[in-house]
Amino acid sequence: LGQTLLNRDGREVTPTEAGERLLSYARRLLALAEEARDVVARPGPDGAVKLGIPEDFAAYRLAKLLAAFSRAHPALRLDVRADQSLNLKRDIERGDLDLALLKRGVDDTRAAIAAWPEQVYWVTSKGHPVNLDGRSLPLIGFPPGCLYRTRAIHALESEGRAWHMAYTSSSLAGIQAAVAAGMGLSILSDMSVQAEHRVLTAREGFAPIDRTEVALVASPDASPATLRLADRLAEFCEKVQAKAA
């Protein structure tokens, strides 16, 4: 550099003014070199996993599991969408989702990583119960195509009971609120029944809806990261099933 950088006095060595100026640049250069090594040596990103879940699972401690999974895999982008099972099934078949938890009938034979029977109940308002002896029972449900809506209508018609749709919502929270307000009957999974709801019994002519299940479905070309998340979701569903039992 054409400059004296160090003053030497016996065993003591101190930087000159030029040396002090160079020292600040040297420290920055070394830090930049270390950062470059870290970035180049760091493993590549794991990519992204697109997950679909039913709304009741979204509100049932599943967020904690997904947050823990994200923290354990910081290089992985996790895209989660809560929606009706009808839409989730369509999107995983089209390749728009990598993994999905969805509701379906037990007679659905399409391949799944795992499936668990579901507890589904008829519910009315605890404070404003529906008149069960009325000429036409008011129903609350998701839009047409929903598994629960189809099962509810089939159950009533099998018993020869008249019904009409009193309230339709694409939101689980909207359905729960409408039931609590006494606008009609609905069927909900056990994890969606709230304190403001009353579960109707078989003695009242409303046996639990059976032959539905929660299935964990992955795309045919699922990535290793997707399959790791599937393992966590399967463990979660096993615990939910054990608690329900």
Side-chain angles (χ1 to χ4, degrees):
L1 296 177
Q3 298 285 333
T4 300
L5 303 178
L6 299 173
N7 291 318
R8 300 178 184 276
D9 184 7
R11 294 185 176 182
E12 185 177 356
V13 180
T14 57
T16 64
E17 184 177 343
E20 287 181 333
R21 288 200 299 269
L22 178 63
L23 183 59
S24 66
Y25 285 101
R27 286 172 175 159
R28 287 153 60 188
L29 287 168
L30 288 172
L32 188 61
E34 185 176 354
E35 179 183 334
R37 281 195 299 270
D38 287 346
V39 169
V40 173
R42 187 179 303 156
D46 291 338
V49 174
K50 292 174 287 185
L51 169 67
I53 56 176
E55 278 193 82
D56 49 1
F57 273 79
Y60 190 72
R61 301 194 304 271
L62 191 55
K64 293 181 180 179
L65 180 151
L66 297 176
F69 185 84
S70 292
R71 287 192 294 270
H73 303 82
L76 175 70
R77 191 179 82 247
L78 187 59
D79 296 336
V80 184
R81 178 162 62 87
D83 204 341
Q84 294 182 53
S85 292
L86 178 70
N87 298 330
L88 299 179
K89 186 183 299 184
R90 176 202 64 204
D91 288 348
I92 198 146
E93 289 173 350
R94 295 196 310 198
D96 294 335
L97 290 174
D98 301 309
L99 189 65
L101 271 175
L102 48 85
K103 313 292 185 74
R104 69 183 192 179
V106 296
D107 52 350
D108 192 328
T109 58
R110 278 172 284 196
I113 295 174
W116 301 267
E118 190 179 28
Q119 299 291 325
V120 180
Y121 301 100
W122 285 98
V123 291
T124 185
S125 171
K126 185 176 290 185
H128 310 281
V130 169
N131 178 13
L132 302 180
D133 297 321
R135 295 179 57 186
S136 177
L137 290 172
L139 289 185
I140 297 170
F142 287 99
C146 168
L147 175 66
Y148 287 4
R149 176 181 174 132
T150 302
R151 292 297 171 96
I153 293 172
H154 176 74
L156 291 179
E157 292 188 343
S158 296
E159 296 293 328
R161 306 182 78 163
W163 61 272
H164 64 277
M165 291 305 302
Y167 189 92
T168 300
S169 174
S170 58
S171 162
L172 174 62
I175 291 174
Q176 291 170 319
V179 172
M183 294 187 66
L185 307 177
S186 189
I187 61 172
L188 295 174
S189 65
D190 56 347
M191 65 179 65
S192 300
V193 177
Q194 299 183 319
E196 298 84 0
H197 301 157
R198 181 173 73 84
V199 174
L200 295 169
T201 66
R203 281 179 148 187
E204 296 170 286
F206 295 90
I209 303 294
D210 59 1
R211 299 184 61 75
T212 66
E213 65 182 17
V214 177
L216 179 60
V217 183
S219 61
D221 55 349
S223 67
T226 298
L227 296 178
R228 287 198 297 272
L229 178 56
D231 289 340
R232 300 295 181 274
L233 289 173
E235 292 173 6
F236 175 84
C237 291
E238 290 288 353
K239 291 178 181 178
V240 171
Q241 175 66 15
K243 182 179 179 181

